[in-house]
Structure formats: structure tokens, C-alpha cells
Amino acid sequence: AQFMFTLLAKFARLERETLRERILSGMEEARRQGKKIGRPDGRVEEKSVFLKKYSSVARNLRAGLSVRKTAARRSDKLCEVSINTVRKVKALL
């Protein structure tokens, strides 16, 4: 049983290495052809725009509400926002 487990683990590691090599070679080929790899340009909002968009979340955080309570709180424009959005607003404040 130990031998079989070792053998399967070795095959899994080899398959992972093969997959990684194929992904990296595909990315290199795409770069050679002039394609952009990664996030498209212009997708990051400015700090002021983001805070203005979630002003009620910022207001609740400044009032002392926790991240989870702020995320679950219903406000005038936003129904519920995700915890990650509240964390981003908190980091920008």
C-alpha cells in the first residue's frame, strides 16, 4: 500500500510539472505574438471614485460598525455589499 501511494504521488507531481510547463510555454508563445497577458488596462478604479461609489459603507465604518455588520447592513442605494468590498473601502480610508 505504501509503494502504491508513493507511486501515485510521484505521478501526480509529474503531471503537475507537465501542466505548469505547458501553461508557461503557452504564455511565452502569446507574448511572442504580441498578446497582452494579465488584467486589461484601465480596470482599476481611482481611490476617490471607489470611495464615492461606496460612501455609505465608508460612513458606516467611520461610525464604528464592524466589517461584517457593515457588509450586511442595508442602505439607501446598496442592498448588501460583500465583505471584500468593505475591506477594500476600509483599506482606502
Side-chain angles (χ1 to χ4, degrees):
Q2 181 65 32
F3 175 74
M4 188 60 113
F5 180 73
T6 305
L7 194 62
L8 289 173
K10 180 69 173 175
F11 283 138
R13 187 165 43 89
L14 288 173
E15 179 63 26
R16 172 86 175 127
E17 289 174 7
T18 304
L19 181 64
R20 179 174 158 72
E21 287 173 7
R22 286 189 305 198
I23 289 172
L24 290 176
S25 70
M27 289 172 67
E28 287 174 14
E29 180 64 27
R31 282 189 191 106
R32 271 189 253 125
Q33 293 176 0
K35 295 182 181 176
K36 185 178 181 310
I37 305 293
R39 182 185 296 224
D41 291 335
R43 291 291 191 189
V44 179
E45 288 181 323
E46 292 293 324
K47 177 182 174 181
S48 59
V49 174
F50 188 78
L51 287 176
K52 193 173 190 179
K53 184 176 178 181
Y54 295 105
S55 61
S56 61
V57 173
R59 194 176 328 114
N60 289 332
L61 286 172
R62 286 186 183 122
L65 285 175
S66 69
V67 172
R68 288 184 186 271
K69 286 183 181 178
T70 301
R73 186 171 197 139
R74 295 184 182 272
S75 64
D76 48 333
K77 289 185 180 178
L78 303 170
C79 292
E80 291 184 4
V81 294
S82 70
I83 291 176
N84 287 334
T85 302
V86 177
R87 286 182 183 144
K88 287 179 189 176
V89 171
K90 186 176 181 179
L92 290 175
L93 291 177

